[in-house]
Amino acid sequence: SDNVLSDVFCVNQNVLVVSYMKDVVDVIELYSITGSHQRSIPLPIGSIASLSGRKQDKMFFFKFTSFLEPGTIWLYDFSIHEEEKRLSIFRSITIKGFDPEPFQTKQVFYKSKDGTRIPMFIVSKKDIQLDGKNPVLLYGYGGFNISIQPYFSVFRILWIQKFGGIFAVANLRGGGEYGEEWHKAGIKDKKQNVFDDFIAAAEYLVENKYTEPSRITIQGGSNGGLLVGACINQRPELFGCAIAEVGVLDMLRFHKFTIGYAWCSDYGCADNPDDFSYLIKYSPLHTVKKGKPYPAVLLATADHDDRVSPLHSFKYISALQNEIGSEPYQTNPLLIRIELKAGHGFGMPTTKIIEEQADIYAFIAHNLGLRWID
């Protein structure tokens, strides 16, 4: 099965609560202790943040979240005789001024370059017009067996609500969305699959009239920063704006700095001639090409990042500005934002998070010609 098991435990003496990921969406099933299926718990598109229950208890709890729901704790109570009434809300998080009703989340599937079926979430207003003109923020990661499931973000909601945008998440190979084989299909000499998947996501959005290339912003951080750098080098004409946060951008020397040697499991190592032969082909620092205008680019890094050294972003922005910035056809800005006294994004105080996100969205809005909607 392509479904990925997340959690299983026993409640009510002899009932197994099984949570697994099916097409990147979490589902909950109830089984008898002998394995016969009893019931499916109906859930919308979202993810299970936590599950809790004990064998001796007649109830269990789970926290559900989604792109449009900040978090709801549900209670399933076996002591209630009528089965359809066993599921109820125990606690819920509400955000002042936010009503999810005007918004929608849907999941689509598209084909990558080699024909592989790739899932993608699309979040937008319900009354969105598919006229090929909508601004789209396309996010991806594709690495280290990490699954990018539905999650709530105030910043993404503002993007949709106040800029009239669409938010899309492409679930690329290299992640954990379909288990270890999916992960292996996007590592080492197969890393190009990840970039092809992301490029195909942008092409799908254009072909299906969600947007046009000049209205697409791609975004990713860390390994996702590598994704953004590689894709704008390979297909600069496909994007209007690109945000690469704390990206791994020098694929020939990443293993020589901080914890970089630990990433060789996914990337390989340039000290190995066989690995060098494919790393040099997509390393963002080494594949900047003249001839076509690049989208507006903003790199974001921090001077105390001890995971992905800021030297990656420093060198890449230098290469972009040196090779592309002086060309007469390059009218879009090529900039870097350097946060002081901060690291890889963890533990950043709220004020710095707000300042960084305000700069990022202002950069996107300016370069895509967007206006704030009151």
Side-chain angles (χ1 to χ4, degrees), residues 247-255 257 283-286 311-312 315:
V248 185
L249 300 163
D250 180 353
M251 300 310 295
L252 302 186
R253 292 173 59 81
F254 70 86
H255 59 290
F257 306 99
S283 174
L285 177 63
H286 302 92
L311 66 84
H312 286 272
K315 291 198 288 185

Side-chain angles (χ1 to χ4, degrees), residues 293-314:
Y294 270 56
V297 176
L298 177 64
L299 307 186
T301 187
D303 63 346
H304 281 66
D305 190 338
D306 59 359
R307 179 168 296 192
V308 179
S309 172
L311 66 84
H312 286 272
S313 296
F314 294 164

Side-chain angles (χ1 to χ4, degrees), residues 24-26 45-48 65-67 105 121 148-152:
V24 205
V25 176
D26 280 340
I45 293 175
S47 56
I48 305 298
T65 186
S66 72
F67 293 113
T105 299
F121 295 108
I148 308 299
Q149 292 186 268
Y151 62 96
F152 187 81

Side-chain angles (χ1 to χ4, degrees), residues 113-133:
K113 184 178 180 180
D114 62 0
T116 300
R117 179 176 177 265
I118 310 295
M120 176 165 59
F121 295 108
I122 300 176
V123 190
S124 68
K125 291 182 178 179
K126 289 179 179 177
D127 60 356
I128 198 77
Q129 299 297 312
L130 299 185
D131 57 3
K133 301 295 184 181

